[in-house]
Amino acid sequence: MKNIHWIILGIIFIVTLALEFTVLAGYDSHWWNAIPAFYAIFGFVICYALVYSAKFIAKKIVNRDINYYD
Amino acid sequence: MIEFITIPGVILIIGAAVISLFSERVRPVLFLLFPIIAALVIITRPEGYTVNGSLLNYELVLMQTDSLSNLFGIVFALGALVAGIYAFHMKELGQQISALAYAGGALGVVYAGDLLTLIIYWEIMALASTWLIWARRTPETDASGMRYLIYHILGGGLLFAGILWHSVVEGSILIEAIPMEYTPANILMLLGVAVNTAIIPLHTWLSDAYPKATHTGTIFMSIFTTKTAVYVLIRMFAGWELLIFFGAAMAVYGIYYAVICKDMREILSYHIISQVGYMVCAVGIGTDLALNGAAAHAYNNILYKSLMFMAVTAVMYSAGSSKMFHLGGLYKKLPWVLGLYVVGGLSISGIPLFAGFISKGMVIDAAGYGGHETIMLVLLVASVGTWLSVGLKLPYFTWFDKEEFNGELKPIPVNMYIAMGLLAFACIFYGVFPTALYTFLPFETGYEPYTVYHVVEITQIALLTFVAFWFLRKKLAPELTTVLDLDWFYRKAAPSVRALFVTRVDNFYDRVEDGILALADYLSKKFKNPMLWLNPFTDKRNEASRYSPSMEVVMSFIILSFLVFAIVYLV
């Protein structure tokens, strides 16, 4: 990833935030709409949680040697 | 008669028989012809068209069309066509016949108007698809194919038992929505359909068999079995609340395995379970929007999931491995395959302007606005996992990670590119023009995918998931492992069960047989010459044939008679 890629992603993110706080300011369909940038936080936190919990499950329970069933 | 042979499922099954008569040069072309004819028939038949027949006392509805069956019918016919293009270079007759019969079975189920017709096509699908696993002809795939077949025979048996019970209780075999009553007949039918839908914990046939099927076989398998079952669920079990929870559980379960697995085809196979979970969940919610979402998501899923399977199969065909451990750094050598895969990956992750966006949002909204906010969040967790596993991890470790792929690459046939190109076009087309799909959905809901809220929602999730993936990518680095699933119970139990019911029984019979043979041997030796023990004083070497009674025998009888008389007298 080059810096330019990060800058593009950053700009897109800022645009989504701008839309959230302007166009969607009064939007209230779900309880989590009150939390600013909820979906961004959700994506980041859930991704971390998924990776670490999947690693844990893999290591402790499901991963075996490649020839396990042979 | 003419009506019967123009039933779409029958057309493909006849096609499977007809192609066997032609040479291997003509067969791939003929293979494509039959799905085209089926698609034309589907387009030209009006809604409400029926073909009736009878079997014993049962009135059968061999074909029945409506918007739902046409939606699935057309995507199955086109799916078979594009998969046929992808497999154009593959000349093996057995696989061609079974793939076409399999597609015919799926189309047959979709247009079946009664349960007996349905179960016949259902079993055709199970049998035909098994060959797509066995055709690899390795001990591993032989065993996997057998497990797959047994599982589907079990599922078909449950469904058939349910159908018979249902027909006795209800007096009808017509396919219609079943009210949510947990009667034995309904439970048996639901279990039978649940096997083909890969509802956990009945999903292990899929994750076991799909990664092991032939190169082109997996493509066909990813299209038909689970989507046919979703169709039957929509038709018969809409609004069964139990399905909401099982669907949500499938969506997350599949994701976990897709994150854990390191084999491209395993990742995509588990991901089918996750995607079908969305559909099952939507069927359980049962509102018009949810059922539209289930149907639209099944339709789109066939497009982008088969595109992704085709791309990874092309890599596997070219590089010789589906394990990401052996891959990496392919972006310079297989850039087109990467591009086509990414279209599938963006579609399945529900990124705006791609097909998944217009259907996945429908399912998630149906949960959120149908009073199931927790389920909506669970489905959003699965969305993060989808983007993480098949949108980022799989392409990153296959095409990037290393500077360059060092192994030999086999050229990829052009027909594979054409098939992938067609699907990629369809993914973008439906993403940009959602009404092209919405027009054909069974219900009028006025759903609008391109709202600011939807776009902001998915863009924020995708961006920040990407950032988290970038920080954590080393934790997902490929390694060579076997990943255990619930099939462990019967795969590991198999040796003990075999030992108990086969080996021990065999050994017991062996020992009994040995004992009887030894006894027979002993008795035959003893009775070969009874005179040897009737007359202990004789020469042991005497043989029966040359023996003549002598004085010894006479003396023996006199003494024996004397003894007998003496005993009688004394007593």
Side-chain angles (χ1 to χ4, degrees):
Chain A
M1 286 284 284
K2 292 175 186 163
N3 282 344
I4 184 74
H5 297 138
W6 289 113
I7 292 167
I8 293 168
L9 293 182
I11 292 169
I12 297 172
F13 182 52
I14 290 165
V15 169
T16 65
L17 284 179
L19 286 170
E20 187 182 333
F21 294 119
T22 54
V23 181
L24 299 173
Y27 195 89
D28 186 24
S29 290
H30 310 293
W31 59 260
W32 56 83
N33 292 138
I35 304 168
F38 172 79
Y39 288 116
I41 299 164
F42 184 86
F44 192 80
V45 171
I46 294 295
C47 186
Y48 256 83
L50 275 177
V51 170
Y52 276 99
S53 53
K55 279 295 280 185
F56 179 79
I57 293 169
K59 204 172 166 186
K60 296 286 178 193
I61 308 172
V62 297
N63 269 7
R64 291 292 185 280
D65 181 71
I66 188 77
N67 299 318
Y68 180 74
Y69 281 122
D70 294 343
Chain B
M1 183 63 184
I2 191 78
E3 284 180 327
F4 177 71
I5 60 170
T6 55
I7 294 172
V10 176
I11 291 171
L12 295 199
I13 291 166
I14 291 173
V18 169
I19 59 168
S20 65
L21 306 173
F22 289 86
S23 71
E24 68 172 36
R25 283 177 58 193
V26 185
R27 279 202 305 268
V29 182
L30 272 181
F31 187 102
L32 304 181
L33 190 64
F34 290 96
I36 293 173
I37 297 171
L40 290 175
V41 168
I42 292 167
I43 293 167
T44 51
R45 293 282 183 254
E47 276 190 23
Y49 173 84
T50 54
V51 178
N52 295 311
S54 60
L55 179 73
L56 303 174
N57 291 330
Y58 291 105
E59 288 298 318
L60 304 181
V61 184
L62 302 172
M63 181 177 176
Q64 182 170 283
T65 63
D66 63 9
S67 54
L68 184 64
S69 57
N70 278 343
L71 185 77
F72 277 83
I74 200 76
V75 77
F76 281 164
L78 295 179
L81 176 67
V82 179
I85 295 171
Y86 188 83
F88 200 81
H89 62 284
M90 199 271 305
K91 308 291 182 201
E92 200 190 308
L93 177 63
Q95 282 196 63
Q96 288 168 326
I97 290 175
S98 51
L100 211 46
Y102 179 29
L107 270 178
V109 169
V110 164
Y111 284 105
D114 69 87
L115 292 162
L116 282 184
T117 307
L118 181 139
I119 190 74
I120 291 167
Y121 288 116
W122 196 265
E123 299 294 358
I124 289 173
M125 281 173 65
L127 294 175
S129 55
T130 305
W131 183 252
L132 298 175
I133 308 159
W134 277 339
R136 277 190 85 182
R137 298 187 178 83
T138 64
E140 190 192 16
T141 52
D142 285 353
S144 175
M146 184 54 81
R147 289 192 293 271
Y148 174 89
L149 185 60
I150 290 171
Y151 224 121
H152 282 280
I153 287 173
L154 173 75
L158 289 168
L159 179 59
F160 191 41
I163 289 170
L164 292 178
W165 201 318
H166 175 82
S167 70
V168 171
V169 174
E170 302 291 332
S172 164
I173 54 165
L174 293 178
I175 297 175
E176 46 205 356
I178 295 176
M180 195 175 67
E181 290 163 8
Y182 292 96
T183 62
N186 292 351
I187 292 170
L188 284 171
M189 284 196 288
L190 184 57
L191 279 174
V193 180
V195 168
N196 274 26
T197 324
I199 290 179
I200 55 171
L202 304 171
H203 65 283
T204 46
W205 58 269
L206 192 157
S207 48
D208 177 19
Y210 282 19
K212 299 189 184 79
T214 61
H215 284 62
T216 51
T218 314
I219 314 293
F220 286 95
M221 297 179 90
S222 75
I223 296 175
F224 297 117
T225 304
T226 50
K227 311 307 178 300
T228 316
V230 166
Y231 166 83
V232 176
L233 282 183
I234 297 175
R235 201 42 104 198
M236 295 174 66
F237 297 98
W240 281 54
E241 282 176 3
L242 192 70
L243 294 175
I244 300 175
F245 307 105
F246 274 98
M250 285 169 77
V252 175
Y253 191 91
I255 281 307
Y256 262 106
Y257 273 92
V259 174
I260 292 168
C261 287
K262 312 291 183 191
D263 178 302
M264 295 187 296
R265 297 210 298 175
E266 268 179 30
I267 293 170
L268 291 183
S269 300
Y270 273 110
H271 199 259
I272 290 180
I273 296 169
S274 175
Q275 288 287 298
V276 173
Y278 280 86
M279 301 167 211
V280 171
C281 190
V283 173
I285 294 166
T287 58
D288 286 359
L289 180 64
L291 295 179
N292 264 6
H297 206 46
Y299 186 98
N300 282 340
N301 205 263
I302 287 170
L303 303 178
Y304 46 68
K305 182 60 84 176
S306 44
L307 170 58
M308 295 165 89
F309 260 114
M310 284 178 183
V312 300
T313 304
V315 171
M316 188 182 162
Y317 177 90
S318 182
S321 177
S322 62
K323 301 201 182 305
M324 295 191 300
F325 183 82
H326 301 304
L327 302 169
L330 279 164
Y331 71 99
K332 283 182 189 158
K333 292 179 174 170
L334 296 175
W336 285 99
V337 185
L338 168 64
L340 292 161
Y341 178 89
V342 167
V343 171
L346 293 173
S347 298
I348 209 163
S349 306
I351 305 297
L353 302 179
F354 294 90
F357 180 75
I358 69 163
S359 55
K360 189 189 264 187
M362 217 186 276
V363 176
I364 293 174
D365 270 10
Y369 295 109
H372 303 283
E373 283 194 330
T374 312
I375 296 294
M376 180 180 175
L377 286 176
V378 172
L379 295 180
L380 284 173
V381 169
S383 291
V384 172
T386 296
W387 177 227
L388 169 68
S389 60
V390 298
L392 297 171
K393 182 187 91 169
L394 194 156
Y396 179 79
F397 289 108
T398 304
W399 280 277
F400 301 98
D401 193 35
K402 295 174 191 163
E403 195 51 44
E404 195 160 349
F405 180 72
N406 296 322
E408 287 285 308
L409 287 179
K410 213 162 89 173
I412 295 171
V414 70
N415 55 292
M416 284 187 171
Y417 280 113
I418 293 171
M420 289 188 280
L422 288 170
L423 289 173
F425 171 77
C427 286
I428 297 170
F429 176 78
Y430 284 116
V432 176
F433 302 107
T435 42
L437 177 61
Y438 289 171
T439 313
F440 298 102
L441 294 179
F443 303 102
E444 183 61 51
T445 59
Y447 178 78
E448 179 51 59
Y450 284 105
T451 60
V452 176
Y453 184 79
H454 282 143
V455 174
V456 166
E457 170 191 359
I458 194 66
T459 310
Q460 286 192 357
I461 288 179
L463 278 176
L464 270 292
T465 302
F466 175 79
V467 173
F469 165 77
W470 195 256
F471 291 154
L472 296 172
R473 65 191 191 281
K474 294 293 173 206
K475 295 206 170 292
L476 298 169
E479 50 200 348
L480 288 176
T481 52
T482 296
V483 179
L484 303 187
D485 196 351
L486 296 176
D487 57 344
W488 180 84
F489 288 101
Y490 55 79
R491 288 176 75 175
K492 273 292 161 184
S496 332
V497 173
R498 197 178 296 123
L500 184 63
F501 291 107
V502 181
T503 316
R504 284 193 187 176
V505 173
D506 268 2
N507 286 347
F508 173 74
Y509 277 104
D510 279 352
R511 264 185 251 123
V512 171
E513 188 184 350
D514 287 348
I516 289 170
L517 285 175
L519 183 66
D521 190 44
Y522 173 79
L523 291 177
S524 64
K525 273 183 189 153
K526 279 291 167 198
F527 283 96
K528 190 174 171 186
N529 185 2
M531 293 312 289
L532 285 178
W533 44 274
L534 274 175
N535 178 13
F537 308 110
T538 191
D539 183 357
K540 297 277 186 227
R541 285 167 302 177
N542 273 346
E543 290 176 22
S545 56
R546 290 192 297 160
Y547 190 80
S548 56
S550 63
M551 199 59 186
E552 297 161 18
V553 177
V554 178
M555 287 297 292
S556 300
F557 273 103
I558 290 169
I559 291 167
L560 185 67
S561 308
F562 173 76
L563 278 172
V564 170
F565 276 108
I567 290 165
V568 170
Y569 178 76
L570 285 174
V571 172

